[in-house]
Amino acid sequence: MSVLIVGSIALDTVKTPVEEHADLLGGSASYASVGASFFTGVNLVGIVGDDFPKAHIDYFGSRKIDLAGLQIVPGKTFRWSGEYHWDLNTRETRSVELNVFEHFNPTLPANYAGTPIVLLANIAPALQNHVLDQMQKPKFVIADTMDLWINIAKDELLRLLKRVDMLILNDGEARQLTGETSLIKAGAKIRELGPRFVALKKGEHGCLLFGPDTFFSCGAYPLEDIHDPTGAGDTFAGGLAGFLASRTGDGTGDGKEVTFDLLRQGVVAGSVLASFNVEAFSLERLRTLTQKDIEERYRMFKLMSHFETL
Ligand code: AMP
């Protein structure tokens, strides 16, 4: 098992201009874990209520997802509902019910503490810090966040940033966190807050990867039909973390280091996974996705961004 993922596990209700579906499997850790499982084994840390369908737990188990860190407690599962505007790039949160999530105390099973790659998917920064407190000495730690935490838990988030190797956030959040309108300046400023690397997501326009004195621009796959953008960012983060885990060994010390070149490949792998995820509601597209699909789309990404010298 080589990537530890903590985050939310949810039942989502999602409305787009053409469709609405209720009580779908969702949550940052669900998307991230299934995304990562295409590359590596996953140690999942999360919480659900006793109303959470067994079929979803069986689905996680059918992937390479270890469930010893999944708490199933009396009560209702976290619920989130969102509605997308016509461009499918912007959305409004309609409701959030924390339910069992309100008293979530992520306690790691003893054998999770040595997991080499850690993805702190989107949850409260205090919980992300609490998980890091229990880790031995991870090789590479990635954190995801959202506007809510920049608004209501900025100090805790700033404390977290000093402890992680990479932060993932979207363009609006980067501007909000730094007060910069230029994304290039924002990326540099976030690096000064702690993380050596920053992945700045730009929705349907791809992402920017920042490292020491360098950056990389990754395009997005031009899809004709987007059905549900929910979880794209989480699937991206999971794909990236899973890819890194698969390429950096098993934590015994003989694996490769995480370099900027490896991260370049990783953000493409994450973008490939995310581009599939938005083709259907919830995690439906990931259920039928094959390694061959991933390899073919990765090749398309490479072709799309290749050009001859002048
Ligand atoms: P994304 O589309 O990548 O922003 O992620 C959407 C997922 O985040 C949904 O499946 C929600 O269940 C989950 N989510 C929404 N709000 C929160 C929150 N405050 N904390 C944790 N997860 C959340």
Side-chain angles (χ1 to χ4, degrees), residues 124-140:
L127 298 179
Q128 293 174 313
N129 271 314
H130 183 57
V131 167
L132 271 192
D133 291 342
Q134 298 168 69
M135 296 300 300
Q136 271 155 13
K137 201 172 172 296
K139 179 178 250 178
F140 199 78

Side-chain angles (χ1 to χ4, degrees), residues 6 12 24 31 56 64 109 148 158 173 180 233 246 252 264 267 269-270 272 294 310:
V6 61
D12 288 347
L24 301 167
Y31 284 106
H56 296 337
K64 288 169 283 182
L148 174 70
L158 291 176
E173 292 155 358
E180 295 287 352
S246 72
T252 52
R264 281 167 64 121
V267 295
V272 166
I294 295 173
L310 205 57

Side-chain angles (χ1 to χ4, degrees), residues 1-214:
M1 294 296 170
S2 37
V3 60
L4 181 140
I5 298 181
V6 61
S8 61
I9 300 171
L11 293 173
D12 288 347
T13 296
V14 177
K15 186 175 188 308
T16 69
V18 284
E19 275 175 276
E20 176 165 3
H21 296 279
D23 292 335
L24 301 167
L25 174 60
S28 57
S30 305
Y31 284 106
S33 298
V34 175
S37 74
F38 283 92
F39 297 105
T40 191
V42 177
N43 291 333
L44 172 63
V45 177
I47 190 167
V48 293
D50 51 15
D51 62 343
F52 191 69
K54 186 174 171 301
H56 296 337
I57 295 177
D58 292 344
Y59 172 54
F60 289 145
S62 75
R63 307 288 317 168
K64 288 169 283 182
I65 301 175
D66 186 276
L67 300 171
L70 176 68
Q71 300 173 25
I72 305 172
V73 299
K76 283 173 75 180
T77 300
F78 173 64
R79 276 179 164 72
W80 172 83
S81 170
E83 177 169 358
Y84 288 88
H85 301 142
W86 266 107
D87 65 359
L88 288 181
N89 244 341
T90 47
R91 77 172 176 219
E92 258 149 50
T93 295
R94 295 202 297 186
S95 65
V96 177
E97 284 175 48
L98 289 178
N99 300 328
V100 296
F101 212 46
E102 194 169 352
H103 302 293
F104 180 37
N105 179 14
T107 305
L108 306 194
N111 63 327
Y112 281 18
T115 319
I117 307 288
V118 178
L119 171 58
L120 306 167
N122 176 33
I123 43 167
L127 298 179
Q128 293 174 313
N129 271 314
H130 183 57
V131 167
L132 271 192
D133 291 342
Q134 298 168 69
M135 296 300 300
Q136 271 155 13
K137 201 172 172 296
K139 179 178 250 178
F140 199 78
V141 179
I142 305 173
D144 196 351
T145 196
M146 72 187 290
D147 52 353
L148 174 70
W149 311 122
I150 302 172
N151 283 331
I152 68 167
K154 193 165 175 183
D155 287 349
E156 194 71 36
L157 179 62
L158 291 176
R159 189 166 87 79
L160 178 77
L161 293 189
K162 302 224 179 314
R163 310 175 69 191
V164 304
D165 298 287
M166 180 172 198
L167 181 70
I168 298 178
L169 74 180
N170 72 29
D171 42 6
E173 292 155 358
R175 291 187 170 110
Q176 183 189 357
L177 181 61
T178 61
E180 295 287 352
T181 46
S182 151
L183 293 180
I184 304 297
K185 282 186 182 163
K189 225 168 170 174
I190 295 169
R191 290 192 61 249
E192 286 168 17
L193 297 172
R196 280 181 295 142
F197 302 101
V198 176
L200 235 155
K201 298 169 292 176
K202 300 185 292 170
E204 63 179 335
H205 304 297
C207 76
L208 290 172
L209 171 67
F210 296 85
D213 301 319
T214 182

